[in-house]
Amino acid sequence: VIRGSQPRVELHFAESAWDFSANDRMVSLMGSARSWHADGQTLEFESKPHAMVCPMESDQKIACSEFTYGLMSRGETFLLRYHAKGVDGIEAAETNGGLHAEIVATPSEDGQLIVTVLSKGTPFPGAEIIVPTSGMNTEEMTTDENGQIRINTPTTSLYSFRAMVPEERSGTHDGKPYELVRHYTTLTVHDHEN
């Protein structure tokens, strides 16, 4: 979610806020994404060379998106699903956007963030989560029994979190069976006017 003179949502295929691919193939993968504001209003994106882009009103603070990538085989076959939430300012990060897998972050009075990984709206213990540290560095952590971690609030103006939530569920995708769904979810916080 980008503020400024042309407020907009940019949907990137990425693992972090600083590492996104700006090529036609990566951008086209997101063409089937279902996207919405926190109030449920559907977002209509236009494909650009660097991202899918949608204008937004300056008072809108949250954008969410989900899409199914497909089946992957890495030791086991699983369905790969992506879930993303972008927010304008850390204050908006504690709002649940209604994603199947989601990260919420709540500032605490001691300058830290309480980061919670959710699965279907419920805290998910033992989730792998990549968190920002200093600059563009990250650290891998695991959520506690409450589905939470505590970290120092990042000082960069753009940062992101990424978590993986496994779900044992049988199904078929394009006629092929699977027994596991891996939900990768991101929370990207933009805390700067420009």
Side-chain angles (χ1 to χ4, degrees), residues 72-85:
M72 299 289 290
S73 290
R74 295 203 176 135
E76 61 187 339
T77 299
F78 57 91
L79 183 66
L80 183 55
R81 296 207 59 219
Y82 289 104
H83 313 270
K85 179 169 69 177

Side-chain angles (χ1 to χ4, degrees), residues 130-177:
I130 307 296
V131 300
T133 55
S134 61
M136 296 183 351
N137 297 317
T138 60
E139 178 182 343
E140 183 175 333
M141 300 179 80
T142 302
T143 58
D144 65 15
E145 65 276 0
N146 299 311
Q148 298 180 331
I149 60 164
R150 287 180 73 94
I151 64 166
N152 293 327
T153 301
T155 57
T156 57
S157 60
L158 177 67
Y159 53 93
S160 64
F161 303 86
R162 182 179 83 244
M164 194 278 285
V165 176
E167 177 187 15
E168 291 186 14
R169 176 170 49 113
S170 299
T172 59
H173 180 77
D174 291 339
K176 297 178 181 173

Side-chain angles (χ1 to χ4, degrees), residues 32-110:
S32 64
R34 184 177 69 90
S35 305
W36 64 94
H37 287 294
D39 64 5
Q41 177 188 354
T42 299
L43 294 170
E44 300 292 335
F45 284 91
E46 182 179 348
S47 181
K48 300 285 187 180
H50 69 291
M52 302 291 285
V53 179
C54 176
M56 67 184 298
E57 300 299 321
S58 60
D59 63 339
Q60 293 171 317
K61 304 288 185 192
I62 301 169
C64 298
S65 189
E66 295 182 318
F67 83 100
T68 299
Y69 184 86
L71 289 181
M72 299 289 290
S73 290
R74 295 203 176 135
E76 61 187 339
T77 299
F78 57 91
L79 183 66
L80 183 55
R81 296 207 59 219
Y82 289 104
H83 313 270
K85 179 169 69 177
V87 298
D88 175 4
I90 191 59
E91 299 79 18
E94 64 185 320
T95 301
N96 188 323
L99 294 156
H100 183 102
E102 185 167 358
I103 300 168
V104 294
T106 305
S108 65
E109 292 181 12
D110 61 2

Side-chain angles (χ1 to χ4, degrees), residues 12 14-20 136 158-161 186-189:
H12 297 273
E15 290 188 350
S16 78
W18 316 285
D19 176 29
F20 56 86
M136 296 183 351
L158 177 67
Y159 53 93
S160 64
F161 303 86
T186 57
L187 167 63
T188 302
V189 179

